[in-house]
Amino acid sequence: MNDLAPVLQGFFSDRLIRQRQASPHTIAAYRDTLVLLLGFVQQQTGRQPTDLSITDFDAATVTAFLTYLEAERGNSTATRNARLAAIHSLFRYAALRDPEHAALIQRVLAIPPKRTDRAILGYLTHAECVALIAAPDETTGLGRRDHALLHLAIHTGLRVSELTGLTRGDVHLGTGPHVRCRGKGRKDRCTPLTRPTVRILAGWLTESAGDDDAPLFPSSRGGRLSSDAGQRLVTKHTAAAMSRCPSLAGKTVTPHTLRHSTAMALLHAGVDLTVIALWLGHESTDVTQIYLHADMTIKQSALARLPAPRNSRSRYRPPDQLLDYLDNL
């Protein structure tokens, strides 16, 4: 066994699990990145991963791996950058464990992320939200489950992992009704519920069985829904809702689109950005600024307040004979 294996083991057991107490999602993402990297270097060198050394992972090799992700695996720039962030995290840990490789490690850490295009986020209008919530077949148990899940998603803005992770005990329908969840970064937060949401959830809780630790939205087998299942659920009911609301046909609707729709509804209602950031569980209001860029009504309102130019239009006259000559060339 070479010097790479102890660094990898220490990175996961000591740095991620013990020191940072990283979430299972973070650990899985870092694991997948390093599995891909080890497989790539194994193909390049012909040696087994247990025989590889840190010196086999120089800046040229890591750069070639990033190119491979985009060119051969078809990964997006965002995915490429996420993989690079995981590699950087490993090499920062390796710098403490193996200072004799400091020069090689610094060259790897100097590899920059690629700049990405930031498209304006998509969201649903009120009519589109109503059509989507009404899409599930409420004559079936799974349809009533999906109806309750979509209603809760659109009115609270929870992430798909937060929705699928809810238990029956996380829902409080008494005085000050709210739902409690543990979100990104291990932050707990409470989100208030509207009266229609309380009514729908009360009906669903009465119909479904289980104790406080049981999933609020169980799968057909009674277990917890996966995030992929949540994505498929939204895609399925979006297709069904297109007949009622044709404007959905031109949109890509994901669980995160529903989260954006919640934020835009709050913004249109005049809710302050700081409150929206708290509502969504954002680390800072800088993240929430994206909703200002997506909201054309705010931009149109600002444009309407600008005074119209008063000067009349006139033909341009060059102030100099030389400029006149150049203009007529």
Side-chain angles (χ1 to χ4, degrees), residues 79-97:
T79 300
R80 179 257 192 204
N81 289 344
R83 301 295 191 199
L84 177 59
I87 295 170
H88 279 173
S89 184
L90 169 66
F91 274 73
R92 282 192 293 269
Y93 176 77
L96 302 175
R97 289 282 304 263

Side-chain angles (χ1 to χ4, degrees), residues 26 36 54 65 67 78 80 86 105 110 113 125 130 132 138 152 187 213 220 255 257 262 322-323 327:
T26 300
L36 287 171
I54 292 178
F65 169 69
T67 302
R80 179 257 192 204
I105 291 171
T125 64
V130 171
L132 179 58
E138 294 186 60
L152 184 64
K187 296 189 296 287
D213 294 329
S220 57
T257 306
T262 304
L322 180 58
L323 292 177
D327 282 341

Side-chain angles (χ1 to χ4, degrees), residues 121-124 129 132 149-164 189 225-238 251-263 280 291:
L121 59 86
Y123 64 95
L124 304 185
C129 289
L132 179 58
L149 187 150
L150 290 172
H151 199 285
L152 184 64
I154 288 174
H155 286 82
T156 61
L158 296 182
R159 299 178 178 90
V160 63
S161 59
E162 295 167 350
L163 281 168
T164 57
R189 73 179 190 276
L225 284 174
S226 66
S227 295
D228 288 342
Q231 172 65 68
R232 290 193 296 270
L233 182 154
V234 171
T235 302
K236 169 187 172 183
H237 295 304
T238 300
K251 295 186 175 182
T252 301
V253 182
T254 68
H256 222 67
T257 306
L258 308 186
R259 178 172 166 83
H260 294 327
S261 304
T262 304
L280 298 179
Y291 300 111

Side-chain angles (χ1 to χ4, degrees), residues 272-303:
D272 189 81
L273 275 181
T274 56
V275 177
I276 298 176
L278 289 172
W279 188 292
L280 298 179
H282 286 165
E283 191 71 30
S284 70
T285 56
D286 292 342
V287 181
T288 321
Q289 294 285 345
I290 59 174
Y291 300 111
L292 288 176
H293 294 287
D295 189 7
M296 287 299 297
T297 59
I298 292 179
K299 297 175 183 178
Q300 290 167 349
S301 177
L303 184 63

Side-chain angles (χ1 to χ4, degrees), residues 38-52:
L38 288 172
F40 175 80
V41 177
Q42 179 182 3
Q43 288 184 344
Q44 298 295 309
T45 63
R47 301 202 305 274
Q48 294 298 315
T50 51
D51 298 326
L52 295 175

